[in-house]
Structure formats: C-alpha cells, structure tokens
Amino acid sequence: MSDPHTQAPGADLIASKLAEATARALQLRAQLNQWAHQYYVLDQPTVPDAEYDRVFVELQTLEGQYPALLTADSPTRRVGGAVLDGFTPVRHRVPMLSIRTETDTSEQGAYTFDARVHRELELPEGAPVEGGYVAEPKFDGLAMSLRYEHGVLVQAATRGDGETGEDVTQNIRTIGQIPLRLQGANVPPVVEVRGEVYMRRDDFERLNERQRERIAQGAKNERTFVNPRNAAAGAVRQLDPGIARQRPLSFFAYGLGEVSPPANGGPVFATQWDMLQQLRAWGFPVSELVRAVPDAAGLVAFHADVAGQRDRLAFDIDGVVYKVNALALQRRLGFVSREPRWAVAHKYPAQEMMTTVLAIDIQVGRTGKLTPVAKLAPVFVGGVTVTNATLHNEDEVLRKDVRIGDTVIVRRAGDVIPEVVSTLVDKRVAGALPFQMPHQCPICGAEAVREPGEADWRCSGGISCPAQRKEAIKHFAHRRAMDVEGLGDKLVEQLVDAGLVNTLPDLYRLGLSALANLERMGTRSAQNLVDALDKSKQATLPRFLFGLGVRHVGETTAKDLARHFGSLDAVMDASVAQLLDVPDVGPIVAESVHTFFAQPHNREVVAQLRACGVRWDESSGDAGAPKPLVGKTFVLTGTFPTLSRDQAKDMLEAAGAKVSGSVSKKTDYVVAGAEAGSKLTKAQDLGVTILDEDAMLALIAAGVAAADDGGAQA
C-alpha cells in the first residue's frame, strides 16, 4: 500500500509551474490596471494600444491554461476605467460591454469571425447567414451612452467599467452633432443611444496649435495632447463645461442600450442596418462608411477598402467592426464573458509602437533646414519596419525630452514620415544626456543659423552644400519650375554623384557622350534629356524665380514679383523697401529675396544660367502687359481638351485673374472640363457662370484685345 503523503511523480514540476504562472498573472494584472488607469482615468496614455493588447492577450492565455487563476477582478473580466471624483456615477441599465478583438490583422480575421458565427449557429460551411453582416469603422474615441426620455436628452454617461459610468451631460450638450431633442414621429418613451465621441484630425491640430501658443506665452499647467482620442477624452471629462465647449468634439452613433418595449411605443427593428437608419432619422450622425455585406468576402473587401481610405479620413480609426445583421440571430448568439458572440473588432496594423532611440542624427534638406532624426531599433508599425523617425526641430526634441537610449512611442500613418510621439521617461536608462543642436552643418561644415522667431536651424552654405545641391537641382527641374522632362530624382542623384553636375548651370553643359555613359542611360535616353534641357531654356520669369529656390518664394510669390518688377534685373537690384511694395510680400519674404540676390555666388549662378541660353519674355511683367481679368476669381475642375490644369492656371493668372481651389459666392467663373466633380455641382447650385476651355480662351483673348485697343486709343 502506497504512502498517502507521497506525491505523484511530476507534482513538484506542476506546482512550480503553477507558482510561476500565479506570479506572472499578478504582475500582468498590475501592469494592465496601471495602464488602464492612465488611459481611461488620467487621459495620459503611456503605451500604445498594440502593447496593451499584447499584454492583455498574454494574461488571457495564461488564465486559459490555468482556470484557477481567473479572478473576478481580472482585467479580462472588465472593460476598464473608473469613475472620476467630481462626476455623479451612472448605473447602465444595459451594460456597455466591449467587443472581442481579432488580433489577426490580415484578411483571415474576417474569415475567422464568419466561421465562428457559422459554428455557433450550426450552419453548414458556406451557407448564407440570414441578413448577412453590417461592417463599420472602429472609431478611436470615447464610448458614450445618451439617454432620451420622451425625445429629450436627459443624461449622457461614459462607459466607465461597463456597468457604471460617469454623468457628463453638461459637457455632451456642447457637441453640436448630438440632438437635444430627437426628430421624427417614431420616438420611444425611453431610448439610450450608444456611440463614440471623437475629435476630428483638423480640429485636433488646431487645438494643439492653440495649446502651443499658450505655452509660448507663459501659460501654466498647459500641455499639448498626444492624439485626438486623448484630447476628446480630456474634453468630455472637464468639470467646467465652458472649457469643454472650447474643445471641438464630434459624435457618431452606432447602437442602442435600453429601449422602451414595442408594447409601450418602442420601435421594432429586424436588423442592425434598420437600427442605424432609424438613428439617422432621429437626427444622429452615422458614418457614411457603414456597409451591409452578405458574407465573409464582403467583410474582407470592406476591411481592405477602409484601409485604403484610412489615412485620408477626417478622424482616427484603428480597425473595423463586424456585426451579425439580424437582431434575432444576435439574441441567439448571445454573449460569452465580457463580449458579444455576434460582433468582432478587426484591427489594422498598429500605427503606434514602442522602441528605443539608438542615436539622434541631423538631416539637411533642400533649403538647408537641419532636422533632428531619431535612429531607432527596428520596429514594425503601420505595416512597415521603421528605423528612422523625425523629431521635427530642436524645440520639439527638448519639449518631448528625447535622449539617446530612451524608450519612445513612434507613430506612422500611411505615407506620412514616422515621428516620435512621446518619451517614456520612467523607462529612461542612467546617463542619458539631453540633446544639443549642432551649430555647424554636418555635411559641409558651414555655420548653422536660426532666424529670430523661427523654430528651425539652417545651413548657411547654400548650393555649395552637397546636401542642398541635389535638392536644389531637383527643385529647379520640377514641372512647376523649369519643367525639365525626364530629369527625375534618381537621375539627379546619379549626375551629382558622378561629378557631372555641381551647380545649376552644369545642367546645360551636359554632353551626349557623358550622359550615355551613365548606368541605365542609353544614347536615346541621353538625347531625350539633352532635348528636354534645351527646351527648358525657354522659360518664364515666374518659373525661373521659383526654380532658383529662394527661401519663402513659392509659385504665387514668384508670379507677384515678376508682375510687379517686369524683369529679373529689377528684382535682383530691388531694396527691401521696394520689395515691400509688392502686394502680399511682407518683411520676411522681402528680406529673404534681398539677401539671396545680395550673395555674389547666387548672382554668378544667374549670370551663368543666362550665358547658357536660359531666357524668358520679360514683357510678361506689369510693364505694359494687359491684365483684363484683374479682380475676377476662377475655379478649374475636370480635364481640358488641349490644356493641362497648370497651363490654364498660368494663362488666367497672366491675365490678372485669381485662381482658387474652391467654389464660393465670390467665384466669378468655373472652367469645367471632362469628369468635372463636386465643384461643378456647387457652381450650378450657386448660379456661378460656367465656361469650357474654348470659352475661357475666348474670354482671355477678348479682354486682351479690349485692353490693347484702349491702350492704342490712349
């Protein structure tokens, strides 16, 4: 007979693993609770969502392996958040539960959800789900419940922990998109509308700009916000509604909580889609992206379509949400733990991740701007591996307190250059030194200068600086400047690296044989480039001025200078006072133009370009040239038969007209070509005169002729 006190083989190992798992679970819970408090309560997130999700999944997996570890207070049993002191607690009559997250960001996530629905409903593989699905964007904002009694808004409450939220009614009343009284006749005695409070990206940028101005003016206790979600949450949780009113918030509705039963006057819905249409009818904004789809393939298409639009949207999203459309099936599927079985959140690759700063280098741009760039430990964010992130300028580096060795949060959205969002100071290593901006250009050694009132340091080396040389040549060859067809960025890099082009005039000294010897450049391509360079010699004064790359001189300013002075020599010899006489030219631009042409090496470049045959008709200035369309505003839309949009714009501006990008009551003419869009529609609605290309050319010609006749008679 065995000793009852003798343990079974392997019991020590099992006990050891359980103890290890218990300790790890305690650690993960503490970390998740801390992050949740910082995110939901303090509105000061310290880690990106992807890091929170990773730790959450680890705890979820651990509790799955050891069910005894699952406790009532585990973050996996809660939605997260807590009621802030100063707000009245609100008990949700229908809990505001979160939706399960599908961590597979590929299209497989949609198929996984569809397969789970089929399995739960006991449907054969491939069989249609009655009513299909509704697919929605997953807004990155603050969940809100709005209670209406007899059609009037009586209470607004945050999600809180899902069971109890916070009464923020006075702040929510400041959001113009939220109706104070429901529209229409089909209004139940009681209805709770669920949705998302968020901040548009443009509103967020304006808010942060105001915050930066206040900080610069010495305001205390002011800070910029990390992201729109953070800013929206902070506005909703202001105890003073007057402050909340100053922060622009928006709202999307997407669901319902408590609703009076049909017997008491409540509406009858068969599908999620019907519910959304009713929300619209009551006066709520519902995202135009929402779509009803029949099957998993439709979900996959929606996920891909919204991903393609994501970076152009007016608001932040971090994924999409799929819901079974038929409400009867939703009730059949029910809930598991904290999540509905009939819905899932399908995320996109994270746009914010943590990584380490390995070094801070200086990048020199075309205008000589010195930009600090963080060299990072490689991190996969926004669908690509990122190793560099911009730090913008010295002030931003100091404000964010970024140091070599720091752990930082990096953000990337679409084609936008990755940037360092914030520094996790609590993870800082010993000995990390504050950043110091160099006072010499790291490329050419010339002095770096910072103009009064500006945030950027710049290299003073000009076109003699190799870093600026390539970019200056690319700018000179741009289609809106000298328009050298075929001289792209890669070819410019080749020409400079091969020592064939060191200054702008060197472009016009290129020979056929030298070009033909370049890698991937045959005789025909070389001849095409020579021809394009020769063609570009016949320029216009505004294009030439713009092509020189004078700081602060864009296309419009270059045209203003050409019109006012009439000749390049007059521009070059103008004093600051004379430059200030040009319409829309202020002190900064005037000083920049005067300084540029005061430099001997810049005048030498201009002289050599002229010697190479670069020329233009200087009668295109204000000296005697008729301007029959002065005071008239035009808008161009669609594709024209013979002119490019740029050519049409040049012709109108040469005749004195202003060319605007949008139609308004102040617009005099809209020139519409093939496939004209919303601008044409708006012009028709406003009664604006609409022209085609021929009518525009005739108008210009008639005006010029009339002006010439007037001049002859005079």
Side-chain angles (χ1 to χ4, degrees):
M1 186 177 231
S2 62
D3 185 344
H5 299 288
T6 302
Q7 291 184 321
D12 288 341
L13 180 60
I14 294 173
S16 174
K17 286 186 173 294
L18 179 59
E20 182 181 333
T22 301
R24 180 59 176 162
L26 287 171
Q27 181 184 9
L28 294 175
R29 284 193 200 105
Q31 182 67 84
L32 289 168
N33 284 329
Q34 180 188 2
W35 286 343
H37 180 74
Q38 292 164 340
Y39 187 91
Y40 290 104
V41 179
L42 302 180
D43 296 325
Q44 296 175 352
T46 57
V47 293
D49 289 349
E51 179 67 8
Y52 182 96
D53 291 343
R54 183 190 66 77
V55 176
F56 187 96
V57 169
E58 182 182 350
L59 178 59
Q60 210 169 30
T61 303
L62 205 60
E63 291 173 344
Q65 292 174 340
Y66 300 96
L69 297 181
L70 186 59
T71 60
D73 64 345
S74 171
T76 63
R77 288 283 190 93
R78 292 167 54 89
V79 176
V83 178
L84 284 175
D85 292 336
F87 289 111
T88 304
V90 175
R91 184 78 174 177
H92 298 302
R93 291 167 175 82
V94 175
M96 294 183 70
L97 301 180
S98 63
I99 295 175
R100 171 187 288 186
T101 298
E102 175 54 61
T103 55
D104 186 341
T105 58
S106 72
E107 66 178 32
Q108 186 56 44
Y111 289 116
T112 300
F113 171 64
D114 178 64
R116 188 162 59 244
V117 170
H118 275 76
R119 186 169 60 253
E120 296 286 349
L121 293 177
E122 299 181 348
L123 293 174
E125 183 179 347
V129 174
E130 182 182 352
Y133 300 105
V134 168
E136 311 167 355
K138 185 177 182 296
F139 308 109
D140 195 9
L142 189 70
M144 190 64 54
S145 181
L146 309 174
R147 184 176 178 84
Y148 290 81
E149 294 180 359
H150 303 290
V152 177
L153 177 65
V154 297
Q155 189 178 72
T158 62
R159 183 201 299 271
D161 64 2
E163 297 288 341
T164 303
E166 308 147 354
D167 189 332
V168 290
T169 309
Q170 295 307 311
N171 291 340
I172 293 304
R173 286 181 184 275
T174 67
I175 302 176
Q177 289 181 314
I178 294 178
L180 299 180
R181 178 184 288 274
L182 299 183
Q183 303 173 6
N186 190 24
V187 178
V190 174
V191 60
E192 289 180 351
V193 175
R194 303 281 168 82
E196 199 89 359
V197 173
Y198 68 97
M199 188 174 288
R200 290 171 52 93
R201 290 171 176 169
D202 52 358
D203 287 334
F204 171 73
E205 291 301 328
R206 282 191 287 270
L207 173 62
N208 260 352
E209 184 59 35
R210 290 201 301 271
Q211 293 298 102
R212 282 189 283 268
E213 289 175 1
R214 289 170 181 159
I215 294 169
Q217 293 166 2
K220 295 182 179 180
N221 301 321
E222 293 287 358
R223 61 185 176 88
T224 55
F225 295 93
V226 175
N227 52 47
R229 192 263 167 213
N230 174 240
V236 169
R237 288 189 167 115
Q238 282 294 328
L239 292 174
D240 180 1
I243 297 177
R245 191 175 295 110
Q246 297 171 14
R247 298 185 184 175
L249 299 175
S250 300
F251 181 78
F252 276 128
Y254 53 64
L256 293 174
E258 182 186 14
V259 182
S260 297
N264 295 331
V268 178
F269 303 117
T271 65
Q272 184 80 19
W273 183 260
D274 292 341
M275 181 197 300
L276 293 175
Q277 306 322 303
Q278 182 61 72
L279 288 171
R280 279 199 178 102
W282 283 337
F284 290 98
V286 174
S287 173
E288 296 297 327
L289 294 173
V290 176
R291 190 184 305 168
V293 300
D295 51 25
L299 297 177
V300 169
F302 179 81
H303 187 265
D305 182 38
V306 174
Q309 302 180 58
R310 183 182 184 188
D311 301 322
R312 302 191 302 273
L313 295 177
F315 47 86
D316 282 352
I317 63 172
D318 58 4
V320 294
V321 175
Y322 308 140
K323 297 176 181 176
V324 171
N325 191 23
L327 299 185
L329 294 184
Q330 288 187 12
R331 289 189 288 271
R332 267 185 63 187
L333 288 164
F335 297 82
V336 55
S337 184
R338 61 197 281 272
E339 303 157 340
R341 287 191 176 95
W342 43 267
V344 73
H346 190 186
K347 287 201 171 186
Y348 292 119
Q351 291 187 299
E352 289 188 359
M353 290 292 288
M354 286 195 312
T355 188
T356 305
V357 177
L358 304 178
I360 299 178
D361 291 348
I362 300 296
Q363 187 178 76
V364 184
R366 177 184 67 82
T367 63
K369 176 184 175 182
L370 273 57
T371 302
V373 176
K375 299 295 181 181
L376 307 170
V379 60
F380 193 76
V381 54
V384 300
T385 299
V386 171
T387 56
N388 298 318
T390 181
L391 291 165
H392 299 293
N393 54 53
E394 180 184 29
D395 291 345
E396 282 292 284
V397 181
L398 298 178
R399 184 180 67 81
K400 294 173 180 174
D401 193 17
V402 182
R403 307 181 186 185
I404 297 171
D406 276 349
T407 299
V408 295
I409 294 177
V410 177
R411 177 175 175 81
R412 179 187 181 273
D415 295 329
V416 177
I417 298 171
E419 67 170 339
V420 173
V421 176
S422 60
T423 305
L424 303 183
V425 179
D426 60 332
K427 294 181 178 290
R428 174 163 290 156
V429 296
L433 296 176
F435 171 77
Q436 287 190 328
M437 196 76 180
H439 289 179
Q440 286 79 38
C441 172
I443 304 299
C444 70
E447 182 185 3
V449 296
R450 181 175 179 175
E451 295 179 11
E454 291 213 348
D456 298 322
W457 288 81
R458 296 180 184 277
C459 167
S460 62
I463 198 164
S464 62
C465 176
Q468 296 179 68
R469 184 182 303 153
K470 289 181 181 179
E471 293 305 315
I473 294 168
K474 293 174 187 177
H475 177 75
F476 185 77
H478 190 271
R479 67 182 183 86
R480 296 297 293 157
M482 300 301 285
D483 192 21
V484 184
E485 188 175 351
L487 186 56
D489 291 355
K490 290 184 178 179
L491 184 52
V492 170
E493 301 273 351
Q494 272 188 284
L495 292 169
V496 174
D497 291 343
L500 297 176
V501 175
N502 293 308
T503 66
L504 297 179
D506 286 345
L507 287 170
Y508 297 103
R509 302 183 183 119
L510 288 169
L512 187 64
S513 59
L515 286 170
N517 288 329
L518 287 173
E519 186 179 353
R520 295 188 297 277
M521 174 72 78
T523 302
R524 183 174 179 180
S525 296
Q527 185 62 59
N528 288 340
L529 180 58
V530 170
D531 293 343
L533 285 163
D534 189 59
K535 180 182 176 181
S536 75
K537 291 179 181 178
Q538 183 58 55
T540 65
L541 180 53
R543 283 179 175 271
F544 182 77
L545 284 171
F546 177 56
L548 288 177
V550 182
R551 189 156 179 251
H552 301 304
V553 175
E555 292 179 62
T556 301
T557 302
K559 290 172 183 175
D560 291 340
L561 291 168
R563 290 190 190 113
H564 184 83
F565 290 103
S567 73
L568 177 62
D569 289 335
V571 177
M572 292 173 66
D573 295 337
S575 66
V576 172
Q578 290 171 322
L579 288 163
L580 285 171
D581 288 336
V582 180
D584 298 326
V585 169
I588 293 176
V589 176
E591 188 65 44
S592 179
V593 174
H594 182 264
T595 300
F596 181 88
F597 287 116
Q599 303 299 316
H601 66 272
N602 288 334
R603 284 181 169 266
E604 179 63 23
V605 167
V606 171
Q608 289 187 30
L609 286 169
R610 281 173 148 173
C612 289
V614 177
R615 58 200 179 279
W616 50 85
D617 179 8
E618 294 202 326
S619 66
S620 61
D622 277 348
K627 303 292 181 186
L629 299 181
V630 168
K632 301 297 183 182
T633 299
F634 286 70
V635 172
L636 305 174
T637 181
T639 304
F640 305 127
T642 65
L643 297 174
S644 69
R645 192 84 66 88
D646 288 340
Q647 289 171 325
K649 182 179 179 182
D650 285 344
M651 295 180 73
L652 288 167
E653 289 181 335
K658 175 185 176 183
V659 180
S660 174
S662 58
V663 179
S664 71
K665 293 180 180 178
K666 296 182 179 180
T667 304
D668 296 292
Y669 300 96
V670 168
V671 185
E675 300 180 1
S678 59
K679 293 178 183 177
L680 175 59
T681 303
K682 187 170 183 180
Q684 293 168 333
D685 292 341
L686 293 175
V688 176
T689 302
I690 299 168
L691 308 174
D692 59 13
E693 181 186 298
D694 289 340
M696 179 196 75
L697 294 172
L699 184 65
I700 294 173
V704 171
D708 286 341
D709 289 344
Q713 292 169 5

